[in-house]
């Protein structure tokens, strides 16, 4: 368990859990069975590639389906484990609904998930009292969890029970309760108020789910809480991604808030600005893109400089995607070429100059007198050994936007 996510590690140090000298062995999946053993599925084939992607010679060689009748299932247990008794017969589907509810608290996930599946399939309303009792079972958090989702599956989950689950001592229950509340916000708006009170939850996974769910609500109150959750854990990439899942109508307001709080010495801010600018450009709103373009090329100073570079990088990425879908959409920005050229040559920020160059690479250079002047300027900078390598490299990168043949001798 690591913050909003998880961290995996090898069970055995410097040793594989499973190895084989059989070249036909193709382990494809693992499952936990009803007896708690780990079952490994071995696809077992000589050839695993599809004939569609193989050479004609390989197909004609034959043997494509060798092993198709030799698939295997391995049962992996502790050495003291008894043989599998369940294979002699398992009749979970014949059990009563009340008994199935009891299985929701089983330590083995197989029994819990299959009991829940059968209960939802049956849609037996007579099981509701037992499910409500299980939802309050303090001895089994898994029992409470499965009871909540089973009640949802048979359309018997009440807003009151969701609110109760939002206050559960178990973080995993609270996180799932937020998901359940999300499904009922329209018919039970009071749940939103309960969600907003969870903004100070001490579990990062609960806060992450809250940020995701509040993205469906465009109210001022939700926006305030979303911003709090975002900036509290802005260095977490999953929190950033969660913030980006909000309605597209919120993207510009989120970007504005990030720029207001921009910290040049914290890379997470630059990354988030870039991502938001990419989304705006990819959306194709010409006015929004041009507004960002103007703001990001102004020759301001201070902490906003690096924010400008991130905006331009994001715009270039988003417009490249937009261009691939609709090439003609880029024509609307041809008139911004001179602005970008002037920014490239005159802005004090390396990041802004790079972003301007990337934008020019997407938009393209026309054959105007201004372009000719810019090329001549690049040639002079490139040839001036008194300038820094940074400046001369930038000039060469600008020339790369044009046909390089006329300058090949100089580049050598």
């Amino acid at each position: 368990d690591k913050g909003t996510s998880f961290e995996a590690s090898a069970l055995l140090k410097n040793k594989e859990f499973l190895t084989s000298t059989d070249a036909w062995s193709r382990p494809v999946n693992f499952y936990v069975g009803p007896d708690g053993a780990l079952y490994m599925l071995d696809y077992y084939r000589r050839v695993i590639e599809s004939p569609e992607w193989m050479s004609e010679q390989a197909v004609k060689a034959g043997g494509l389906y060798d092993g198709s009748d030799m698939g295997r299932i391995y049962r992996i247990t502790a050495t003291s484990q008894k043989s599998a008794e369940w294979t002699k017969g398992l009749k979970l589907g014949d059990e009563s609904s009340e008994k199935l509810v009891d299985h929701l608290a089983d330590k083995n996930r197989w029994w819990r998930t299959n009991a829940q599946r059968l209960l939802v399939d049956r849609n037996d309303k007579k099981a509701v009292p037992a499910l409500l009792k299980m939802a309050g079972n303090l001895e089994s958090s898994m029992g409470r969890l499965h009871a909540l989702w089973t009640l949802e599956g048979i359309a018997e989950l009440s807003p009151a029970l969701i609110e109760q689950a939002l206050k559960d001592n178990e973080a995993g229950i609270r996180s799932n309760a937020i998901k359940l509340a999300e499904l009922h916000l329209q018919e039970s708006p009071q749940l939103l108020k309960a969600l907003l009170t969870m903004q100070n939850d001490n579990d990062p996974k609960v806060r992450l789910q809250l940020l995701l769910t509040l993205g469906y609500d465009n109210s001022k109150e939700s926006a305030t809480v979303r911003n709090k959750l975002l900036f509290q854990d802005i260095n977490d990439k999953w929190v950033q991604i969660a913030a980006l899942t909000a309605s597209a109508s919120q993207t510009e307001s989120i970007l504005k808030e990030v720029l207001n709080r921009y910290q040049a010495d914290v890379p997470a801010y630059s990354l988030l600005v870039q991502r938001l600018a990419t989304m705006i450009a990819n959306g194709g709103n010409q006015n929004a893109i041009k507004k960002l373009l103007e703001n990001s090329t102004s020759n301001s100073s201070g902490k906003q400089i690096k924010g400008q570079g991130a905006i331009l990088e994001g715009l270039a990425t988003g417009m490249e995607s937009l261009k691939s879908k609709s090439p003609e959409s880029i024509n609307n920005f041809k008139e911004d070429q001179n602005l970008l050229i002037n920014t490239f040559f005159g802005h004090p920020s390396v990041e802004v100059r790079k972003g301007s160059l990337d934008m020019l690479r997407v938009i393209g250079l026309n054959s105007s007198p201004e372009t000719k002047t810019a090329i001549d300027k690049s040639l002079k900078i490139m040839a001036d050994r008194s300038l820094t390598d940074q400046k001369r490299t930038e000039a060469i990168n600008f020339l790369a936007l044009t046909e390089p043949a006329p300058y090949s001798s100089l580049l050598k």
Side-chain angles (χ1 to χ4, degrees):
D1 198 339
K2 186 179 181 181
T4 57
S5 187
F6 300 91
E7 186 175 55
S9 59
L11 178 65
L12 305 173
K13 188 175 182 180
N14 299 324
K15 187 177 181 180
E16 295 292 342
F17 175 72
L18 175 70
T19 60
S20 176
T21 57
D22 188 345
W24 290 24
S25 181
R26 313 285 186 178
V28 292
N29 220 331
F30 287 92
Y31 293 95
V32 174
D35 57 346
L38 183 65
Y39 289 82
M40 189 270 282
L41 277 62
D42 187 350
Y43 184 63
Y44 207 80
R45 295 286 193 278
R46 176 198 291 271
V47 179
I48 201 169
E49 183 63 89
S50 169
E52 182 180 0
W53 311 112
M54 298 173 66
S55 67
E56 185 177 351
Q57 182 182 6
V59 173
K60 288 182 177 180
L64 297 183
Y65 300 100
D66 287 356
S68 60
D69 58 346
M70 299 172 67
R72 304 160 183 204
I73 299 177
Y74 292 87
R75 180 174 183 261
I76 304 170
T77 69
T79 53
S80 59
Q81 190 81 9
K82 296 179 180 180
S83 59
E85 295 291 332
W86 70 270
T87 56
K88 297 177 181 178
L90 189 64
K91 298 183 178 180
L92 183 62
D94 294 338
E95 294 189 357
S96 66
S97 294
E98 289 72 18
K99 183 64 176 175
L100 290 176
V101 172
D102 290 339
H103 286 309
L104 297 180
D106 198 284
K107 292 182 179 180
N108 186 334
R109 178 185 176 184
W110 188 94
W111 292 92
R112 297 196 308 270
T113 55
N114 281 288
Q116 178 177 329
R117 174 181 59 80
L118 289 168
L119 285 165
V120 173
D121 285 347
R122 289 180 186 181
N123 197 24
D124 185 1
K125 304 299 183 181
K126 293 179 181 179
V128 171
L131 285 168
L132 291 173
K133 183 179 179 181
M134 181 60 75
N137 184 352
L138 298 179
E139 296 181 358
S140 174
S141 59
M142 284 298 177
R144 298 198 301 277
L145 176 65
H146 283 279
L148 288 168
W149 280 105
T150 303
L151 287 165
E152 170 64 24
I154 62 175
E156 291 292 336
L157 183 63
S158 67
L161 190 54
I162 295 176
E163 288 195 51
Q164 177 183 316
L166 289 172
K167 301 174 183 177
D168 198 282
N169 290 329
E170 186 71 35
I173 301 292
R174 298 197 300 276
S175 182
N176 275 271
I178 294 172
K179 295 179 183 179
L180 289 164
E182 181 181 306
L183 302 175
H184 296 269
L185 285 177
Q186 287 191 346
E187 69 267 23
S188 304
Q190 72 273 20
L191 288 173
L192 179 60
K193 184 178 180 180
L195 290 175
L196 294 175
T197 63
M198 299 181 69
Q199 59 187 283
N200 295 316
D201 195 285
N202 60 7
D203 187 90
K205 289 184 176 64
V206 173
R207 296 197 301 271
L208 176 70
Q209 183 56 53
L210 181 61
L211 179 56
L212 287 164
T213 294
L214 291 180
Y216 287 94
D217 182 68
N218 294 332
S219 68
K220 182 179 179 180
E221 293 78 11
S222 289
T224 299
V225 173
R226 286 201 309 271
N227 287 337
K228 178 180 178 179
L229 294 169
L230 169 61
F231 290 106
Q232 179 178 342
D233 296 306
I234 194 170
N235 289 307
D236 188 314
K237 69 174 183 178
W238 296 114
V239 170
Q240 285 203 20
I241 292 171
L244 296 177
T245 64
S247 168
S249 63
Q250 303 295 308
T251 306
E252 289 184 53
S253 61
I254 296 175
L255 177 57
K256 182 179 179 181
E257 189 67 26
V258 176
L259 290 174
N260 286 338
R261 305 191 189 200
Y262 195 86
Q263 297 179 31
D265 58 338
V266 180
Y269 282 86
S270 177
L271 178 59
L272 183 54
V273 167
Q274 187 174 334
R275 285 171 164 169
L276 288 163
T278 296
M279 292 174 65
I280 292 173
N282 197 27
N285 185 320
Q286 183 176 344
N287 291 332
I289 295 172
K290 282 187 173 290
K291 182 179 178 181
L292 279 181
L293 190 57
E294 291 172 4
N295 292 338
S296 58
T297 52
S298 64
N299 199 347
S300 58
S301 59
K303 66 179 182 180
Q304 191 72 358
I305 287 287
K306 290 190 178 180
Q308 290 176 308
I311 291 175
L312 285 169
E313 290 284 353
L315 287 177
T317 301
M319 291 181 67
E320 185 69 54
S321 176
L322 183 65
K323 183 179 179 180
S324 67
K325 295 181 292 186
S326 175
E328 65 278 3
S329 62
I330 301 300
N331 295 335
N332 297 323
F333 303 96
K334 294 288 186 181
E335 62 191 46
D336 298 303
Q337 174 188 289
N338 292 342
L339 171 64
L340 290 166
I341 289 176
N342 291 334
T343 302
F344 172 75
F345 284 106
H347 206 284
S349 167
V350 173
E351 289 83 2
V352 172
R353 295 198 300 272
K354 181 180 182 301
S356 298
L357 187 69
D358 288 337
M359 283 291 293
L360 286 169
R361 186 175 290 113
V362 176
I363 295 173
L365 292 175
N366 57 34
S367 56
S368 66
E370 290 80 6
T371 299
K372 178 64 168 59
T373 300
I375 292 173
D376 291 341
K377 189 171 184 179
S378 293
L379 289 169
K380 290 180 181 178
I381 294 173
M382 181 186 70
D384 190 345
R385 295 182 180 274
S386 67
L387 296 175
T388 64
D389 289 345
Q390 173 77 44
K391 277 287 188 180
R392 297 175 69 205
T393 300
E394 288 178 356
I396 293 172
N397 288 333
F398 183 87
L399 291 173
L401 301 180
T402 67
E403 172 55 51
Y407 327 114
S408 57
S409 60
L410 295 173
L411 292 171
K412 291 178 181 179

